[in-house]
Amino acid sequence: MTVSYTLKVANSRFGGFSKLLFRWKGSIYKLLYKEFIVFVVLYALLSLVYRQLLTEEQKRLYTKVAQYCNRSTDLIPMSFVLGFYVTLIVNRWWAQYTSIPLPDQLMCVISSNVHGKDERGRILRRTLIRYANLSAVLILRSVSTRVLKRFPTMDHVVEAGFMTQEEHKKFESLHSDFNKYWIPCVWFTNLAAQARRDGRIRDDVALRLLMDELNLYRAKCSMLFHYDWISIPLVYTQVVTIAVYSFFAFCLIGRQFLEPLEPGQEGDLDMYVPLSTLLQFFFYAGWLKVAEQIINPFGEDDDDFETNKLIDRNLQVSLLSVDDMYQNLPPAMKDKYWNESTAQPPYTTATAAETLKPSFLGSTFDMRMCEDMEQSQPVEASPSVPRIQTPLLSRFFTAASPAISIKNFGWGSRGHPHLRRPRMDGSEDPESVARIEEEETEDE
């Protein structure tokens, strides 16, 4: 069963996550405690052998080996290897969940486009949505151990009501070497085409909408099958596993508290319990166990998907939608705010403080205008007002001139070597103005 703690972290407060550390079901303690005990026992055995059984010469040799192993741990890129691997696994885990077929969209289309209140109309709608649920059950039997234990044979599927005896015989008569989860989808398309011919589906647009939703539903079934078929490359999983195990194998030897090689040399503090190494094991090995748990979320771990509950929910909701809710509408009436220009739903006492907050209109609405109102008055552009130039351009243009355009820079078949240099006194040169106007007229 999926462990949900969303309500516990709805509000951020002091020690909010700390309360989650004392849970057992779905916790890292339950997942890792066996490996942790094995690591601690092996470390303690090596420590006892070193302290009680080795001679002085053997201790010096062991010290050199331990120092070599301790240096070797720096050569294994644990954070990079594990971080990238777990990120890949988590993205794949969520993508598998979003690929589980849900009939919600399909049942709405069936309920609104397959017409008839008589028995034939009910049979058509219920059979169409049952075929969709049957396809989901068949694919989930192929990928989920929980569903397979619930429906170990096709007879159990028939007994559960997803398939009739006649449909079972037809299903078994169709031989294929591959998974046959797609057969109910083909039955769905044929039955929908027959409903169109009988006038139960009134136009081709409605039939096309129904087929499009079915194709989306079938595509999710297919995606689940391919996720189950194509795994994360085995070599990648092996590399990560070997990296973690070899890292802590070196730690067992290299992280022992050792006596100094020389008699007068000062050694490290002997704490007997390697706290930092144990925390490292907890983090890195726990990271690997997280990936191990969610690499296939269709098993029976604490946080694996509740596929059987999804099957129950999908069948119940979809049959209710296409049968009991077909043309079963509440009366259309004037709403509460019919005569009000602005609808304002009421607040409870617990949420009344939210009414005091102004509505968000955009970040720039919070800007305060300058106290000097003259800065906010509109001003018309005037040729007498000098334009601000950048420091680089001010070397070339000491004053702005309307006679300079992009054409003067030779952007075309021929250049204009007669660029007018602005006069320092601001007066205009009549010859230059006439020459530039003549050249612009020729270009036009």
Side-chain angles (χ1 to χ4, degrees):
M1 181 178 179
T2 303
V3 179
S4 179
Y5 56 91
T6 308
L7 181 61
K8 301 296 182 181
V9 294
N11 298 317
S12 177
R13 58 184 181 273
F14 177 76
F17 279 2
S18 302
K19 297 179 179 179
L20 302 178
L21 299 178
F22 301 100
R23 290 193 169 198
W24 174 255
K25 185 175 182 180
S27 67
I28 187 63
Y29 320 118
K30 182 179 180 180
L31 202 62
L32 190 62
Y33 77 95
K34 295 179 182 178
E35 287 84 352
F36 188 79
I37 291 175
V38 170
F39 182 80
V40 171
V41 169
L42 290 177
Y43 185 91
L45 288 176
L46 279 176
S47 181
L48 289 174
V49 169
Y50 172 77
R51 297 170 187 272
Q52 304 296 330
L53 301 181
L54 297 184
T55 63
E56 292 298 325
E57 183 65 26
Q58 290 173 337
K59 285 184 178 180
R60 284 195 292 269
L61 178 60
Y62 181 86
T63 300
K64 294 180 180 180
V65 174
Q67 291 175 348
Y68 170 78
C69 291
N70 194 27
R71 290 193 302 268
S72 299
T73 57
D74 297 332
L75 303 178
I76 302 176
M78 288 291 295
S79 298
F80 172 77
V81 173
L82 266 177
F84 189 79
Y85 182 72
V86 173
T87 301
L88 178 64
I89 295 296
V90 170
N91 291 336
R92 177 185 171 90
W93 166 77
W94 183 249
Q96 289 183 80
Y97 181 75
T98 56
S99 297
I100 296 178
L102 300 176
D104 297 56
Q105 295 182 0
L106 185 60
M107 69 188 187
C108 292
V109 176
I110 293 175
S111 181
S112 60
N113 291 284
V114 182
H115 300 281
K117 286 188 175 181
D118 56 347
E119 183 178 355
R120 176 60 181 171
R122 289 188 62 194
I123 291 176
L124 280 174
R125 289 189 299 275
R126 293 178 68 93
T127 303
L128 287 172
I129 201 63
R130 183 170 56 81
Y131 284 161
N133 282 281
L134 173 60
S135 182
V137 169
L138 293 179
I139 191 59
L140 288 174
R141 283 184 72 247
S142 304
V143 302
S144 175
T145 56
R146 292 183 179 184
V147 179
L148 184 60
K149 287 183 178 181
R150 183 180 181 182
F151 307 109
T153 64
M154 292 301 296
D155 292 331
H156 290 82
V157 178
V158 174
E159 184 180 354
F162 290 96
M163 179 185 287
T164 64
Q165 289 291 348
E166 290 73 16
E167 291 166 353
H168 183 208
K169 294 178 182 178
K170 181 68 69 175
F171 183 87
E172 295 296 337
S173 65
L174 299 171
H175 175 71
S176 177
D177 295 331
F178 303 97
N179 196 312
K180 297 191 291 185
Y181 69 89
W182 46 269
I183 289 180
C185 294
V186 179
W187 290 346
F188 184 105
T189 58
N190 292 331
L191 186 59
Q194 181 181 343
R196 173 70 182 98
R197 291 191 297 268
D198 295 343
R200 300 287 180 169
I201 300 177
R202 294 174 180 172
D203 53 48
D204 294 335
V205 176
L207 179 63
R208 174 62 183 273
L209 179 61
L210 188 61
M211 293 301 181
D212 288 343
E213 290 299 332
L214 175 68
N215 284 331
L216 292 175
Y217 189 87
R218 186 212 55 80
K220 289 193 172 185
C221 295
S222 177
M223 188 58 65
L224 276 187
F225 177 77
H226 288 288
Y227 270 121
D228 185 62
W229 184 16
I230 308 298
S231 303
I232 299 292
L234 179 61
V235 291
Y236 196 6
T237 303
Q238 289 175 337
V239 165
V240 175
T241 305
I242 292 174
V244 174
Y245 286 177
S246 60
F247 178 85
F248 289 107
F250 283 127
C251 287
L252 282 175
I253 301 173
R255 300 292 176 85
Q256 296 286 342
F257 294 101
L258 306 173
E259 297 178 0
L261 291 174
E262 302 298 332
Q265 185 180 0
E266 183 179 357
D268 296 331
L269 178 64
D270 192 349
M271 298 182 61
Y272 292 95
V273 179
L275 183 60
S276 59
T277 302
L278 294 180
L279 286 176
Q280 217 171 14
F281 180 87
F282 193 80
F283 298 147
Y284 286 155
W287 221 355
L288 182 65
K289 293 298 288 186
V290 168
E292 179 184 330
Q293 183 182 34
I294 67 176
I295 192 172
N296 180 12
F298 293 101
E300 298 178 77
D301 294 326
D302 288 341
D303 269 319
D304 284 344
F305 301 151
E306 298 183 50
T307 46
N308 283 323
K309 287 292 184 181
L310 281 173
I311 290 174
D312 296 342
R313 179 262 177 197
N314 292 344
L315 181 64
Q316 183 183 114
V317 170
S318 58
L319 289 178
L320 181 67
S321 174
V322 301
D323 193 6
D324 294 350
M325 294 184 65
Y326 174 73
Q327 298 296 326
N328 185 11
L329 301 175
M333 303 172 61
K334 294 181 180 180
D335 58 80
K336 180 179 179 180
Y337 309 102
W338 180 265
N339 295 320
E340 299 181 15
S341 59
T342 303
Q344 181 59 58
Y347 284 79
T348 60
T349 305
T351 59
E354 297 183 15
T355 60
L356 304 177
K357 300 178 182 179
S359 300
F360 180 75
L361 302 176
S363 57
T364 59
F365 280 80
D366 294 333
M367 295 177 61
R368 295 291 181 264
M369 300 301 295
C370 181
E371 295 181 0
D372 189 0
M373 297 302 297
E374 295 182 358
Q375 297 292 330
S376 61
Q377 297 297 325
V379 178
E380 296 182 0
S382 174
S384 61
V385 178
R387 299 182 182 178
I388 299 176
Q389 302 289 343
T390 61
L392 180 61
L393 293 179
S394 62
R395 300 179 183 178
F396 304 99
F397 307 113
T398 57
S401 174
I404 297 178
S405 65
I406 197 65
K407 297 179 181 179
N408 303 126
F409 290 92
W411 198 26
S413 59
R414 65 189 188 94
H416 295 275
H418 311 293
L419 280 176
R420 176 170 60 89
R421 184 187 300 272
R423 299 173 67 92
M424 298 299 295
D425 56 0
S427 61
E428 300 289 347
D429 186 0
E431 287 188 17
S432 299
V433 174
R435 188 185 306 116
I436 293 175
E437 290 179 352
E438 182 180 351
E439 291 178 356
E440 290 181 347
T441 304
E442 290 178 0
D443 290 341
E444 291 176 358

